[in-house]
Amino acid sequence: MDSCIQRYKHGVKARRWYMYVFWHSLMIAAINSWLLYKRDCKLLGVRDKDIMIERKFFAMLATSLIEVDVNLADRRPNKRVRLQRNPVPNVTKDGMSHWPIKHEQRARCKNCKSNKTNTFCEKCKVFLCFTEGKNCFREFHV
């Protein structure tokens, strides 16, 4: 465990001792989660080459934690919506703050890729079908 933490030493220079304790605790939690992920992948029979390496796992963890409760109302309104190519799977399936809004722009549905729609997920920043006949919004988030 200490050798794993040593590889990702934080560069925080603080005079307050509790900052070191905080960053060290954060690194221990991240490394423990990676070790649990690795153990679970082996138990599920995932091939070694398909298991994420530490660096990629930490990047996905950081992205997921950042985007857990993104509130877009605090940002400046922008006429053109910049779409994210691939939303993080942990964020799309978290079931929190995914609100369908109607947008003046129309774009292809991210789920079925066949229909153009103006329904937009505020958190994932993707266009999804949301009609009586087709509910790609629910399929994408469940």
Side-chain angles (χ1 to χ4, degrees):
M1 173 85 81
D2 287 335
S3 63
C4 293
I5 292 174
Q6 195 65 25
R7 276 186 266 164
Y8 301 103
K9 224 167 152 101
H10 53 83
V12 177
K13 293 183 180 179
R15 293 182 183 181
R16 298 171 302 236
W17 61 270
Y18 52 86
M19 293 301 288
Y20 291 111
V21 172
F22 171 75
W23 287 111
H24 189 72
S25 301
L26 199 63
M27 285 306 298
I28 287 174
I31 290 189
N32 278 338
S33 64
W34 180 72
L35 291 172
L36 288 172
Y37 162 77
K38 206 166 110 175
R39 184 196 68 185
D40 290 345
C41 285
K42 293 214 187 247
L43 289 174
L44 291 172
V46 177
R47 294 182 304 185
D48 284 341
K49 70 177 190 175
D50 293 335
I51 297 175
M52 282 190 278
I53 59 173
E54 286 176 69
R55 183 77 69 178
K56 186 175 181 184
F57 180 81
F58 292 156
M60 290 284 289
L61 177 68
T63 306
S64 298
L65 290 173
I66 289 169
E67 294 182 358
V68 164
D69 196 23
V70 175
N71 189 358
L72 296 177
D74 295 341
R75 296 184 184 171
R76 285 189 342 211
N78 194 356
K79 286 187 178 180
R80 185 173 178 100
V81 176
R82 292 196 176 109
L83 302 178
Q84 185 179 0
R85 289 187 180 246
N86 293 320
V88 180
N90 295 344
V91 176
T92 60
K93 309 284 186 204
D94 67 356
M96 294 172 49
S97 303
H98 295 280
W99 303 109
I101 57 170
K102 292 294 181 182
H103 201 269
E104 63 263 0
Q105 215 177 326
R106 290 177 61 86
R108 237 175 245 298
C109 175
K110 180 81 174 176
N111 194 40
C112 68
K113 296 176 177 55
S114 61
N115 297 335
K116 283 202 167 190
T117 181
N118 64 343
T119 306
F120 183 74
C121 179
E122 191 175 34
K123 186 173 183 181
C124 300
K125 299 178 187 169
V126 293
F127 286 92
L128 297 161
C129 298
F130 189 54
T131 61
E132 289 180 22
K134 197 164 202 174
N135 193 351
C136 290
F137 193 87
R138 185 175 188 283
E139 290 173 17
F140 187 78
H141 292 107
V142 176

